[in-house]
Amino acid sequence: SGPAKARNVGIKNAQGGIIFFTDDDCVVPPDWIKTLAKEYIENPDIAGAGGWYKYDETAYKSRLARAYISYMDMLFFDRSQNYWGVDFRTQKIKSKHFFKNPAGNTSNMSYKKSVLLEMGGFDEIIRFVGYVDWELKKRIAALGYELVYTPYFVSHQKPLTVMDIAMKFFNRGRGRFHLVSKNPELLKYYSPSITTLKKKHYMRGVDFFVRMVMLIELVYGSLGWWRQKLAETAEKFPPR
């Protein structure tokens, strides 16, 4: 069970040569498929093409929800300019670089079916919503396939209560551990403590509610990390 297995069933039964992915809490623009499909015509060598998502901040009344949106925008858009020298708001990117190319988030993504079958689909060990798409992207990038990122956005409309935000970070922590367990070189980017300390240093001067979101991430991201570590350790060493 879980999103990885469900997606793999869909991939197996799909009739087309390009598979499009979005989430059940996203609204795509009318020309979404046409826009992503055009990238394969212009770049026939790519494995996939995708964009990103945005929250409609006006739809959220909670200060914490708005702080979460602000925090995620700072991490995604502002840091891309500071670290990579690219503007994810406006720049199209074609590369196989895991970090410099943000394409891969399955709220707004497409892949060639042939590539997905070559990869064996999504990793079904990940039975929750947390980095299942990034784990697939890492394997695709490792084989040298390029992706296209286009600054084209779907609307994310997921509820953002305190518990919703906490569970997002918890599942991301679980997914990050699994990703790092398969790719140890990513530890310095995804370890909960190291990652959060870097963000704190970068985000000096942010308001109280954004700092609360960062604290929730540190606590629940760490809990998710250790939860997944214990689960995968138990699978490797089952009781006799």
Side-chain angles (χ1 to χ4, degrees), residues 77-195:
F77 295 114
D78 297 345
R79 294 181 81 210
S80 69
Q81 290 180 299
N82 286 328
Y83 284 131
W84 310 121
V86 294
D87 186 356
F88 291 163
R89 292 181 179 88
T90 60
Q91 288 184 246
K92 184 179 290 189
I93 301 165
K94 179 184 177 183
S95 80
K96 59 184 177 182
H97 195 287
F98 183 68
F99 289 110
K100 289 183 182 179
N101 185 341
N105 187 298
T106 45
S107 66
N108 184 2
M109 190 59 195
S110 63
Y111 284 111
K112 289 178 178 175
K113 181 178 179 179
S114 60
V115 173
L116 293 172
L117 294 176
E118 180 184 354
M119 295 294 106
F122 292 89
D123 185 347
E124 295 185 13
I125 291 177
I126 307 175
R127 295 185 288 270
F128 49 88
V129 180
Y131 277 64
V132 62
D133 42 11
W134 296 120
E135 190 282 331
L136 172 66
K137 176 185 174 179
K138 188 68 173 69
R139 286 186 280 129
I140 290 173
L143 289 185
Y145 284 114
E146 289 188 309
L147 305 177
V148 164
Y149 167 77
T150 183
Y152 187 76
F153 303 95
V154 302
S155 176
H156 211 318
Q157 301 185 3
K158 188 176 181 66
L160 291 176
T161 66
V162 175
M163 188 52 63
D164 290 324
I165 294 170
M167 288 307 300
K168 275 180 174 289
F169 288 132
F170 180 79
N171 283 331
R172 287 175 190 163
R174 295 183 68 187
R176 284 173 173 172
F177 174 82
H178 183 69
L179 181 61
V180 168
S181 71
K182 298 179 73 171
N183 304 277
E185 73 277 9
L186 297 180
L187 177 62
K188 64 181 179 180
Y189 299 105
Y190 287 126
S191 170
S193 58
I194 296 172
T195 301

Side-chain angles (χ1 to χ4, degrees), residues 174-225:
R174 295 183 68 187
R176 284 173 173 172
F177 174 82
H178 183 69
L179 181 61
V180 168
S181 71
K182 298 179 73 171
N183 304 277
E185 73 277 9
L186 297 180
L187 177 62
K188 64 181 179 180
Y189 299 105
Y190 287 126
S191 170
S193 58
I194 296 172
T195 301
T196 305
L197 285 173
K198 285 182 178 179
K199 290 171 185 173
K200 284 183 177 179
H201 177 74
Y202 170 71
M203 293 184 177
R204 290 176 179 175
V206 297
D207 71 22
F208 171 78
F209 287 95
V210 173
R211 290 188 179 277
M212 286 298 297
V213 172
M214 293 167 63
L215 178 61
I216 293 170
E217 179 185 26
L218 177 60
V219 172
Y220 281 87
S222 298
L223 288 172
W225 177 282

